[in-house]
Amino acid sequence: MFYRISLCLQQKVEFMKDLKALWQAVLDKLELTVSNVSFIMWFKPIKVLDLVDNKHLVIAANTLSAKNQISRNYFDKLSTAVNDIFGNDLTIEVLDPSEEIEYIKLHGEQAGEKEVEVTKNPFNAKYTFNNFVVGNSNQFVYAASRAVAEHPGEKFNPLFIYGGVGLGKTHLLHAIGNYLKEFSPNLNVKYVTCEQFANDYIESLGSESKSKGVVEFRSKYRNLDVLMVDDIQFISKKTSTQEEFFHTFNELYQNNKQIIITSDRPPKEIETLADRLRSRFTSGLTQDIQQPELETRIAILRKKCQLENYSIDDDVINFVAEKINTNIRELEGMLSKIYFLANLANKTTATMEEAMEAFDGQLEEDRNDGTSPDDIIDAVCKYFDITRQDIVGKKKSKDVVEPRMIAIYLISEILEMPLISIGKIFGGRDHTTIMHSRDKITDQLKSSIKTQNFISEIRKMLKGG
Ligand code: ADP
Ligand code: MG
């Protein structure tokens, strides 16, 4: 019924009308299954972008934190509603606003509504150096990023930034990009996620004339003044992509062009990385971002209030900063939620009342407290009809290996247990093996309906459904 490719304009308009109507029906369903606040904050602003080959639904959340909330806490509910309405096993891809722009650039806007926005500066205007709060945890990485923005190709090359999720890596890359756009507008600057680089390359191989595709790809990437690659840990084992990246890297490096790379772990812990790339990555400056200490968290929240025009009591700011101490994205998400609750209650300033309400809601939504690793292992064994000895043991047959990886993924996701402890549960496996299993499932979840179903079914079992 729906095909993205080769539709005439009239069909396209019809297509989007139908798609929007279907999405509205999904929203109507969701509204019944999630709380009012969650619905208004996360789901209502979603834009439906595309349905590819009747199999893959692409939607865009209105903020990064909305995307994270949806993917993390509401994905099951979302898939259920989507599959009820579309009557089909769809994979769902949730984009954040910058990914949305990138997506539209690549695929075009179905209804042609947003073409204007697409040519804009690709860097998020909020992610600037000015808006980046500097503290002990990030002062060196901040200084290095600034130096690189001021003297691209001359100071630290490559600059390799690593650190946990939500600690500001992407923010810094955009800050460098925004700075360069303003002060060195003639430089050719490109920001890509690792995945985009790989897709771009693979697409070039599949173009009509393979050699022409690759030539175009190379002229795009090798004539840059600054290349930023975000989340390099996702570089696949696919040797051809690594090979291409290696040559891109060398070409730029030899011409004193700036390369900046981020990762959630240091180069030595990226298992799929070829040694020669690893040594390239560490040949410049490798700098980590750590978790922010309390003072920095408070300062970040204050900055956020100022940027978003939130009026929030100091008590609330201190309370939130104390409660959430790892991920800045979550810190900010909680602040928005609290402010939103105040708005709902027609208050101009958010107080502890809303803070308590927001935290209570969070606890309810997470509801992980009762689940243990054993519960997860039992559920996985039951689902796949295998034994506990099999799953924690050494068997390497496919019918055991996949459930084992899924159990590892779920324990890591739901319980946020350290990799080393998970390794112990699984017969003393090494933490890198555990990490590999977890990452493999994370990867599969992006494209495999089968894996998505396994995970959502087992999650349902865990919730007693
Ligand atoms: P990462 O890429 O490391 O996962 P992001 O760069 O996406 O993390 O940061 C997550 C959120 O936290 C963003 O909204 C970002 O603006 C904010 N953030 C992170 N570090 C800081 C900081 N030092 N000052 C202000 N905001 C920050
Ligand atoms: Mg990031």
Side-chain angles (χ1 to χ4, degrees):
M1 179 168 152
F2 299 114
Y3 277 96
R4 176 153 57 77
I5 316 143
S6 63
L7 294 176
C8 71
L9 189 65
Q10 184 55 38
Q11 282 172 314
K12 268 190 188 172
V13 173
E14 287 304 314
F15 167 86
M16 278 316 278
K17 264 200 218 147
D18 285 344
L19 189 53
K20 279 187 179 148
L22 286 169
W23 178 250
Q24 186 52 49
V26 172
L27 283 183
D28 292 344
K29 261 201 170 302
L30 273 168
E31 196 169 5
L32 304 172
T33 62
V34 303
S35 76
N36 200 12
V37 172
S38 310
F39 182 74
I40 297 172
M41 271 193 86
W42 314 128
F43 289 104
K44 222 166 161 219
I46 288 178
K47 265 181 279 175
V48 57
L49 291 184
D50 208 351
L51 178 65
V52 185
D53 295 345
N54 219 357
K55 280 196 298 233
H56 184 68
L57 181 70
V58 186
I59 58 179
N62 68 331
T63 62
L64 191 61
S65 63
K67 171 190 163 167
N68 291 327
Q69 283 291 340
I70 293 162
S71 319
R72 225 172 275 157
N73 296 326
Y74 298 98
F75 205 80
D76 295 347
K77 283 183 176 156
L78 176 66
S79 332
T80 309
V82 165
N83 289 329
D84 277 359
I85 296 296
F86 284 77
N88 210 342
D89 268 343
L90 298 183
T91 49
I92 307 169
E93 186 176 358
V94 188
L95 308 179
D96 66 36
S98 61
E99 291 165 339
E100 180 193 349
I101 292 178
E102 208 47 48
Y103 187 91
I104 291 169
K105 257 198 228 161
L106 279 173
H107 301 287
E109 171 74 20
Q110 296 298 332
E113 295 164 341
K114 281 214 10 187
E115 261 154 38
V116 209
E117 268 185 55
V118 176
T119 49
K120 272 195 332 200
N121 181 349
F123 300 108
N124 184 330
K126 286 188 180 168
Y127 290 176
T128 59
F129 283 126
N130 274 340
N131 292 344
F132 191 84
V133 174
V134 183
N136 290 331
S137 56
N138 58 25
Q139 55 181 331
F140 295 115
V141 78
Y142 172 83
S145 304
R146 258 208 104 102
V148 159
E150 285 164 16
H151 308 280
E154 290 170 29
K155 288 269 172 173
F156 308 116
N157 206 13
L159 173 60
F160 190 101
I161 299 173
Y162 71 91
V165 175
L167 296 184
K169 300 181 295 294
T170 299
H171 185 135
L172 281 171
L173 291 187
H174 281 255
I176 295 170
N178 280 314
Y179 187 98
L180 289 167
K181 277 262 170 291
E182 184 172 356
F183 295 105
S184 313
N186 295 328
L187 292 185
N188 196 355
V189 181
K190 189 166 180 66
Y191 164 95
V192 279
T193 62
C194 178
E195 223 173 340
Q196 282 161 354
F197 180 88
N199 288 344
D200 235 15
Y201 179 60
I202 291 161
E203 234 166 72
S204 82
L205 295 177
S207 71
E208 269 165 57
S209 133
K210 182 170 157 185
S211 60
K212 189 163 161 254
V214 174
V215 168
E216 272 170 17
F217 174 88
R218 290 187 180 150
S219 80
K220 184 158 88 183
Y221 278 94
R222 297 190 188 180
N223 290 321
L224 295 170
D225 296 301
V226 179
L227 173 63
M228 305 191 240
V229 184
D230 207 356
D231 288 323
I232 197 82
Q233 74 271 10
F234 292 124
I235 196 154
S236 70
K237 244 191 219 142
K238 263 216 166 82
T239 37
S240 62
T241 307
Q242 285 211 15
E243 178 90 17
E244 189 59 34
F245 189 70
F246 181 75
H247 293 301
T248 306
F249 185 103
N250 285 345
E251 181 81 15
L252 293 173
Y253 182 80
Q254 276 153 18
N255 292 311
N256 293 324
K257 306 301 187 185
Q258 181 69 48
I259 300 153
I260 311 153
I261 298 163
T262 73
S263 163
D264 68 351
R265 59 200 93 155
K268 65 174 189 300
E269 286 175 26
I270 308 176
E271 317 92 273
T272 54
L273 205 60
D275 282 341
R276 56 182 191 168
L277 259 182
R278 203 186 312 268
S279 75
R280 287 291 187 285
F281 287 172
T282 45
S283 64
L285 179 69
T286 305
Q287 188 65 60
D288 67 332
I289 293 195
Q290 293 179 347
Q291 286 174 2
E293 61 281 32
L294 183 64
E295 289 77 15
T296 311
R297 299 201 297 275
I298 292 175
I300 289 172
L301 289 175
R302 292 233 166 91
K303 184 95 195 176
K304 172 97 178 164
C305 286
Q306 182 198 330
L307 285 175
E308 307 278 339
N309 255 328
Y310 291 170
S311 163
I312 295 186
D313 274 355
D314 272 353
D315 286 356
V316 174
I317 297 211
N318 296 339
F319 179 75
V320 173
E322 268 171 38
K323 281 271 181 182
I324 300 178
N325 55 16
T326 49
N327 182 328
I328 297 172
R329 197 171 293 146
E330 278 171 19
L331 197 65
E332 294 185 338
M334 184 49 81
L335 197 75
S336 307
K337 190 165 178 182
I338 291 171
Y339 188 67
F340 177 80
L341 288 172
N343 259 349
L344 270 189
N346 282 325
K347 287 161 74 169
T348 48
T349 301
T351 62
M352 281 304 287
E353 200 182 331
E354 287 80 46
M356 301 313 292
E357 195 184 333
F359 273 95
D360 280 354
Q362 181 96 343
L363 288 181
E364 240 171 65
E365 274 158 21
D366 291 349
R367 268 202 310 165
N368 301 329
D369 26 356
T371 309
S372 70
D374 276 345
D375 295 338
I376 295 176
I377 289 176
D378 287 347
V380 174
C381 286
K382 190 165 158 211
Y383 184 79
F384 289 103
D385 197 20
I386 54 175
T387 66
R388 202 191 150 86
Q389 282 101 306
D390 281 345
I391 207 169
V392 302
K394 293 207 169 9
K395 267 199 190 166
K396 288 210 171 77
S397 53
K398 192 168 183 284
D399 54 329
V400 174
V401 170
E402 180 148 34
R404 186 181 293 139
M405 291 196 298
I406 287 179
I408 288 171
Y409 168 85
L410 285 168
I411 292 177
S412 156
E413 247 334 82
I414 299 179
L415 307 179
E416 293 179 7
M417 198 182 236
L419 299 173
I420 294 176
S421 318
I422 302 178
K424 284 195 187 131
I425 298 174
F426 286 85
R429 284 183 161 79
D430 188 70
H431 75 279
T432 53
T433 313
I434 300 297
M435 183 162 72
H436 179 71
S437 302
R438 180 199 63 192
D439 292 352
K440 179 123 197 238
I441 298 297
T442 308
D443 237 30
Q444 283 180 14
L445 275 173
K446 290 181 196 148
S447 53
S448 156
I449 303 174
K450 216 170 97 204
T451 312
Q452 291 176 3
N453 281 343
F454 288 160
I455 298 287
S456 84
E457 289 300 314
I458 295 164
R459 277 184 189 268
K460 256 187 236 156
M461 286 167 73
L462 286 166
K463 285 180 186 154

